[in-house]
Amino acid sequence: MTTQQTIDLFTQYVIGNYTRIPVVLVRGEGVHVWDADGKRYLDMFPGWAVNGIGHCHPRVTKALRDQAGILIHVANNFYNEPQGVLAELISTRSFGGQCFFCNSGAEANEAAIKLMRIHHAEQGRYKIITMHNSFHGRTLAAITATGQPKYHKGFAPLVEGFTYVPFSDLDAVKAAVDDKTCAVLVEPIQGEGGINVASRAYLQSLRNLCNDKGLLLILDEVQTGMGRTGRVFGYQHYDIEPDVMTLAKALGGGVAIGAMVAKPAIAKSLVPGTHAATFGGNPLACAAAVATFDAIEKDGLLENARLMGEYTQGKLSALRARFDLITEVRGIGLMIGVQLKGPGKDIVTKCMAKGLLINCTHDTVLRFMPPMTVRREHIDEAVAILETVLAEG
Ligand code: PLP
């Protein structure tokens, strides 16, 4: 099919809720993707942070092929081995929680919100404090949790019980707590909000505040999780533990899977009949996620994320010294934002024309989230393309 033929199918048959770039992607391998005209792109933002270990990672592809020949899906009223193995991996690599599996980040957050409600139901506490500029997904409860009014527009009435405070402002959290508050939900690094890194002091004092006030701390690790920051989970940079954590995006190496992880004493409130997801934790998706853990742990990808993260930030900081348009380079590991003085959309488009895929979030932040398999030469090439685009003005 030609590019135009595919676009025509979309125009007629696919709902137009996305702003789409007129490129049809047909193949991916590692840090590269190819379009229908055979053009190759260096992908520094693969799959909106889903392809955390690159496109079609051989371990994931093999696990999928093997598992697809054995058992693809079974209902959750039976046990299946890959789900148990994955739950153990997540639990032992984090804080010893128990997992509920679903298919996306929004669903994982939805599950966390429901867990907060049911766990505190007898006390009549239901309010959750979330942050300005946060992003938690597109279900009705997840957009309500999201502290950005643009995502709420047109969807009133929203779900009751959310209070928003500025990110990184502990006093604001303190002031927002009342006798109905049960939890605080926060991303360790705000992704869609512009790569805003929580400081160590802030997250540690937030943890202490939650302990003092009897609140649960929910960390949304949908974007920060699975190694991209150089630790398996973003919170591990902060010497704290959450009570609940949500995962999705890179968890399945490209396959749709989400997870809500909760300390056992809290998790026990989700008794049979309270929550479910038909596809959640099926053998195929879980096999892909187990293979993703294997790749991260057996191929030394955490170390690579740390090294390549420093290297990328160094190279981008050098660009900052040359171009006034760049005011800051920030991030941890391979979750990097380049703050611009003005909009970054045109820069993204020009980079794409030269074969580089990056993203612009929050209008003025260029986002680099390359796969954890990225090498120096890829980063050199990406930064060289960006430099050319900036120099051309
Ligand atoms: N939470 C965070 C931090 C995200 O960045 C996103 C998506 O960008 C979500 C939740 C929603 O995930 P999904 O699109 O898989 O529902």
Side-chain angles (χ1 to χ4, degrees):
M1 255 189 221
T2 64
T3 295
Q4 196 51 52
Q5 283 170 329
T6 303
I7 291 174
D8 289 347
L9 285 179
F10 273 62
T11 308
Q12 194 166 355
Y13 299 113
V14 179
I15 291 177
N17 60 313
Y18 297 101
T19 308
R20 291 188 197 265
I21 298 158
V23 169
V24 178
L25 296 176
V26 294
R27 187 164 80 81
E29 190 185 326
V31 296
H32 292 108
V33 277
W34 285 261
D35 72 15
D37 301 320
K39 178 170 172 173
R40 190 177 88 159
Y41 300 86
L42 179 58
D43 197 352
M44 293 282 131
F45 192 67
W48 216 276
V50 164
N51 307 84
I53 55 170
H55 292 278
C56 300
H57 191 286
R59 285 187 189 270
V60 175
T61 303
K62 180 175 185 319
L64 283 170
R65 286 202 172 114
D66 291 351
Q67 188 61 46
I70 302 169
L71 189 67
I72 292 177
H73 176 85
V74 287
N76 272 310
N77 53 343
F78 293 94
Y79 294 91
N80 78 74
E81 192 178 307
Q83 187 177 144
V85 171
L86 177 60
E88 182 186 26
L89 277 169
I90 294 173
S91 180
T92 52
R93 273 41 169 189
S94 59
F95 52 92
Q98 291 181 311
C99 302
F100 162 79
F101 290 104
C102 50
N103 312 284
S104 68
E107 272 182 83
N109 285 324
E110 187 80 29
I113 293 162
K114 281 185 70 180
L115 175 60
M116 291 307 97
R117 293 259 176 122
I118 200 160
H119 187 68
H120 298 96
E122 276 178 16
Q123 302 162 10
R125 292 199 289 150
Y126 61 92
K127 286 191 184 170
I128 299 177
I129 297 172
T130 71
M131 308 298 149
H132 293 172
N133 282 333
S134 55
F135 188 83
H136 300 295
R138 301 288 196 144
T139 62
L140 207 45
I143 59 164
T144 313
T146 294
Q148 299 195 55
K150 69 177 178 189
Y151 294 111
H152 300 164
K153 218 170 149 220
F155 295 109
L158 296 175
V159 176
E160 243 190 85
F162 290 88
T163 312
Y164 313 103
V165 298
F167 186 61
S168 287
D169 183 342
L170 191 74
D171 289 336
V173 181
K174 270 186 206 157
V177 177
D178 67 22
D179 61 350
K180 298 274 183 260
T181 310
C182 64
V184 177
L185 168 61
V186 62
E187 298 154 81
I189 305 172
Q190 290 189 329
E192 302 309 300
I195 312 291
N196 305 315
V197 183
S199 73
R200 215 177 146 75
Y202 171 66
L203 269 199
Q204 290 187 346
S205 26
L206 188 59
R207 175 70 272 182
N208 291 338
L209 180 73
C210 288
N211 294 347
D212 294 347
K213 304 262 181 202
L215 309 177
L216 298 182
L217 180 62
I218 311 166
L219 292 183
D220 181 335
E221 293 255 10
V222 167
Q223 202 160 138
T224 48
M226 296 308 286
R228 136 160 335 279
T229 65
R231 298 278 174 92
V232 184
F233 303 107
Y235 78 81
Q236 292 167 337
H237 291 276
Y238 294 87
D239 283 329
I240 58 155
E241 274 185 1
D243 300 297
V244 176
M245 165 174 86
T246 53
L247 300 173
K249 292 216 189 260
L251 176 59
V255 176
I257 182 166
M260 190 267 296
V261 192
K263 287 186 175 163
I266 305 159
K268 73 176 189 323
S269 294
L270 278 192
V271 296
T274 53
H275 198 52
T278 300
F279 287 105
N282 80 26
L284 191 71
C286 290
V290 170
T292 304
F293 267 103
D294 272 357
I296 291 170
E297 296 186 348
K298 294 181 182 155
D299 301 345
L301 297 187
L302 289 177
E303 175 70 358
N304 196 56
R306 281 194 287 270
L307 291 174
M308 292 303 107
E310 271 172 35
Y311 185 68
T312 313
Q313 291 206 39
K315 294 216 68 158
L316 291 170
S317 298
L319 282 191
R320 181 181 150 220
R322 279 199 53 204
F323 296 97
D324 280 353
L325 182 64
I326 302 178
T327 58
E328 192 187 8
V329 175
R330 55 179 184 254
I332 305 185
L334 289 173
M335 187 163 179
I336 302 168
V338 177
Q339 179 68 58
L340 305 175
K341 271 185 192 154
K345 197 166 164 255
D346 284 355
I347 294 173
V348 170
T349 307
K350 287 178 186 164
C351 284
M352 194 183 76
K354 294 186 191 299
L356 169 66
L357 302 183
I358 54 172
N359 166 263
C360 175
T361 188
H362 224 61
D363 294 334
T364 57
V365 182
L366 298 180
R367 192 161 35 158
F368 283 75
M369 294 185 63
M372 294 167 69
T373 50
V374 74
R375 296 195 306 265
R376 264 168 207 259
E377 61 262 32
H378 304 130
I379 294 160
D380 291 345
E381 186 186 337
V383 175
I385 293 173
L386 178 62
E387 184 170 5
T388 309
V389 167
L390 292 173
E392 286 171 1

